[in-house]
Amino acid sequence: MSPTLQKMKVLAVDDNRTNLHILQVFLKKLGHDVILAENGEEAVRRFNAERPDLVLLDIMMPIMDGFEAARRMKASNSDRWTPIIFLSALNRDENLVEGLDAGADDYLTKPINFVVLEAKLRSMQRSLRLQQQSFDALRRLQAISDNVLDALVTIDEEGKIISVNPATERMFRWAPGELPGRNVNVLVPEPDHSRHDAYLARYREERIGHVLGSEREVEAMRQDGSVFPATLAVSEVLLDNQRLFIGLIRDISERRAAELKLRENAEQLRTYYEQTQSEQQLAMRLMEKQLHRRGLTDSRLHYKVIPAESFSGDIVAAATSPNGRFFSLLADATGHGLSAAISVLPVLALFYRMAKRDRSVREMVQELNQQLKEAMPVGRFVGATLICLDDSTRTGEIWVGGTPDALLVDQAGHVVRTFPSENLPLGILDAAPFAAEPVAFSWAPDSQLVLFSDGLVEATDQGGRQFGSTGLTDAMNGTSPRDRFERIEGALSAHLAESVAPDDISLMVIDCP
């Protein structure tokens, strides 16, 4: 059974409140005190005020990211070591390197493996405990008292032990009073046991020592002959014209065990990472097979999906019914990443099946809502924009729920009609109170429909400014239908520059001939 370790004050930082709540519950269950922060700036402020023992830090956050927050914490905390563990969905090598350069002591990718996280916390607890013991030992050494936890051994130039403290006798398992008068080599295993007198003789002749003034790791030997790892620091003093050497010896068995545990944890983390990568590659291939359907190659359709992680919770779909009607869907599931991507798979399958049967928009919305309401857990839902176009009459129907307003633009790129997002997302309400009635509309020749997720308008540049609806309309105005999609795409890319979008982004531009 693992020894009980002292509880810590842990600062947990994540801009996702759900993640933060899960971390809080997990840490409190382990017996730790928890301080919460939702962005890097708040985290630095709470760090300076609360002086936590350990920090669990997300990377991608508003206001100030985790890299900058870590640098500021390290700069303001030069008098003590506070471990920082990054918890992030960013899993490329350059992210790991940047995190370590910013001052992190460890790195754990999301989704979090709480078994691994607990092991890391326990390893950090042991390291913090050893650090505290080290500080205590130094203070007691300065006082040269019998309360020093580490071994203090004083010898003369011949290597004879003059005095030891009680910690030495306990560490080396000698009875009180047995060590003084003996050669210090009784504390040293072979081969240094036989060479120790020669080391001292050479120092007396040459006055050149490689041990003095520094701490090094050595092998020490107890009275029963058992060997253990230790650190040795030797200083030289002149007392009553007699040259003495004072050795400070510290048993680092626990530290070595902690280091071994850290290496084991790192190996477990590497194995877990490789397994996760393999699983994600398989999931990605399956997702791509579901997402890339023939309808998306329709020449009237222009679209782009930018995932915030490896997987996107935003999807686009299109199909032409046997009667020639064009159906299109833009959906945005709660959250992002693999869990969000899985949430929209039922929507895809049902959409294509119903489009093939030429069902009405109202029927499709009702069926999609009912399917998600029955299948999705509480708190999971899907925003969607669903349209049906009849080119022969230049009329269509549109339903918007939980996604931004859809736009109908004319040949010059001016918005001629807005379709407000007045309905709740799919999967929240039962069929009876759910509003599934679409809005009918018509269009002039060479018009276009512009659909997008909230990730597009909320995309922030390096200065924290959002792309917004203004960025979208500015990109569209004065453009021809043929160039409009590329102009919007270019404006978004220029806005993001080197920034990483915090949420999935989807954009769909549909020609209305």
Side-chain angles (χ1 to χ4, degrees):
M1 180 179 294
S2 300
T4 301
L5 297 174
Q6 185 176 5
K7 73 176 182 179
M8 298 185 293
K9 184 191 293 185
V10 181
L11 172 59
V13 189
D14 199 312
D15 62 329
N16 185 302
R17 293 187 177 180
T18 300
N19 292 345
L20 206 58
H21 176 70
I22 293 172
L23 278 175
Q24 182 182 32
V25 171
F26 174 75
L27 293 169
K28 285 189 174 181
K29 184 177 180 181
L30 294 180
H32 303 304
D33 295 328
V34 186
I35 309 162
L36 303 179
E38 295 185 1
N39 59 65
E41 186 175 80
E42 182 185 4
V44 173
R45 186 167 61 251
R46 298 299 299 272
F47 178 91
N48 292 330
E50 300 287 347
R51 304 280 286 179
D53 301 306
L54 184 140
V55 181
L56 299 177
L57 184 60
D58 189 19
I59 293 179
M60 298 305 301
M61 296 182 294
I63 304 176
M64 181 190 297
D65 64 21
F67 295 136
E68 179 61 24
R71 283 189 283 268
R72 296 194 183 188
M73 290 177 189
K74 289 293 184 180
S76 66
N77 197 44
S78 57
D79 60 332
R80 63 193 290 261
W81 175 57
T82 303
I84 296 176
I85 300 177
F86 273 137
L87 306 177
S88 176
L90 300 178
N91 55 16
R92 298 190 300 270
D93 289 345
E94 55 265 31
N95 303 134
L96 173 60
V97 171
E98 186 175 0
L100 296 176
D101 288 343
D105 299 279
D106 212 334
Y107 196 108
L108 185 60
T109 56
K110 294 180 180 179
I112 299 170
N113 184 320
F114 286 97
V115 174
V116 175
L117 177 57
E118 182 178 359
K120 287 182 178 293
L121 291 174
R122 296 184 69 84
S123 295
M124 290 298 181
Q125 283 177 286
R126 285 189 285 268
S127 296
L128 287 168
R129 183 179 63 180
L130 289 171
Q131 180 198 43
Q132 186 60 48
Q133 289 176 348
S134 173
F135 289 156
D136 292 342
L138 288 173
R139 286 194 296 268
R140 283 187 286 270
L141 178 61
Q142 293 172 357
I144 315 179
S145 70
D146 287 345
N147 293 321
V148 174
L149 295 179
D150 298 320
L152 282 173
V153 181
T154 304
I155 66 172
D156 62 15
E157 287 188 292
E158 303 299 325
K160 183 178 70 175
I161 298 175
I162 304 300
S163 65
V164 297
N165 66 340
T168 304
E169 295 163 340
R170 291 192 297 271
M171 184 181 298
F172 289 89
R173 300 176 184 173
W174 286 78
E178 285 189 341
L179 278 172
R182 296 177 182 271
N183 192 303
V184 72
N185 64 8
V186 299
L187 307 180
V188 182
E190 293 291 359
D192 292 329
H193 175 85
S194 302
R195 301 172 181 171
H196 201 270
D197 289 344
Y199 296 155
L200 285 173
R202 186 163 62 250
Y203 176 74
R204 289 194 300 269
E205 295 172 1
E206 302 175 359
R207 293 301 178 195
I208 298 175
H210 299 290
V211 178
L212 295 178
S214 63
E215 182 181 74
R216 64 193 182 103
E217 293 190 4
V218 298
E219 297 294 320
M221 182 175 66
R222 303 183 183 95
Q223 187 183 25
D224 61 8
S226 61
V227 177
F228 63 94
T231 59
L232 171 66
V234 180
S235 58
E236 181 181 356
V237 297
L238 192 63
L239 185 63
D240 296 331
N241 294 321
Q242 181 182 11
R243 195 175 303 278
L244 302 176
F245 301 96
I246 301 174
L248 173 65
I249 305 166
R250 182 175 302 124
D251 184 345
I252 59 171
S253 300
E254 288 189 2
R255 194 178 85 187
R256 285 278 182 88
E259 291 171 350
L260 176 61
K261 186 64 177 178
L262 283 174
R263 287 194 294 270
E264 291 173 351
N265 290 342
E267 179 62 23
Q268 291 176 0
L269 181 60
R270 184 190 66 80
T271 302
Y272 170 75
Y273 173 76
E274 291 177 351
Q275 290 175 346
T276 301
Q277 285 292 97
S278 177
E279 292 170 358
Q280 287 192 346
Q281 289 295 327
L282 175 59
M284 189 172 295
R285 288 194 294 270
L286 293 173
M287 288 292 297
E288 288 177 351
K289 188 173 182 179
Q290 291 292 323
L291 290 170
H292 298 300
R293 304 288 187 98
R294 184 182 303 174
L296 292 175
T297 62
D298 195 305
S299 61
R300 72 189 301 165
L301 179 64
H302 318 275
Y303 70 93
K304 188 176 187 66
V305 177
I306 305 174
E309 298 181 4
S310 300
F311 298 90
S312 174
D314 287 9
I315 60 165
V316 294
T320 302
S321 74
N323 293 331
R325 296 201 301 168
F326 178 80
F327 289 89
S328 186
L329 169 71
L330 183 145
D332 180 4
T334 311
H336 46 79
L338 181 57
S339 61
I342 292 174
S343 300
V344 292
L345 283 180
V347 175
L348 272 177
L350 194 55
F351 167 81
Y352 281 112
R353 186 165 66 248
M354 298 185 75
K356 186 176 181 180
R357 297 176 182 175
D358 206 15
R359 302 286 288 274
S360 68
V361 170
R362 183 177 183 278
E363 290 175 311
M364 295 178 78
V365 170
Q366 287 177 326
E367 190 69 25
L368 288 169
N369 179 70
Q370 190 61 33
Q371 174 73 20
L372 290 173
K373 184 66 172 66
E374 294 173 356
M376 299 278 277
V378 176
R380 289 281 180 176
F381 48 84
V382 176
T385 300
L386 182 64
I387 66 166
C388 174
L389 304 179
D390 188 339
D391 293 342
S392 64
T393 60
R394 288 205 182 99
T395 59
E397 290 183 329
I398 184 169
W399 184 91
V400 185
T403 50
D405 299 346
L407 306 176
L408 179 65
V409 298
D410 62 15
Q411 186 177 15
H414 302 131
V415 177
V416 296
R417 185 168 180 179
T418 299
F419 301 99
S421 180
E422 298 177 335
N423 302 300
L424 288 175
L426 302 169
I428 297 179
L429 296 179
D430 289 321
F434 182 70
E437 290 298 330
V439 175
F441 66 98
S442 60
W443 66 84
D446 294 327
S447 298
Q448 287 180 320
L449 280 168
V450 181
L451 318 178
F452 50 92
S453 66
D454 54 7
L456 183 136
V457 292
E458 294 173 2
T460 54
D461 63 11
Q462 293 179 331
R465 294 181 296 273
Q466 293 188 343
F467 187 63
S469 57
T470 302
L472 177 62
T473 54
D474 287 347
M476 293 191 302
N477 286 337
T479 60
S480 67
R482 183 181 59 186
D483 301 328
R484 192 162 297 138
F485 177 80
E486 286 74 14
R487 283 286 297 274
I488 299 172
E489 187 180 22
L492 177 63
S493 297
H495 176 78
L496 286 173
E498 300 299 323
S499 301
V500 177
D503 195 7
D504 301 323
I505 295 174
S506 56
L507 169 67
M508 180 183 285
V509 177
I510 304 168
D511 296 337
C512 300

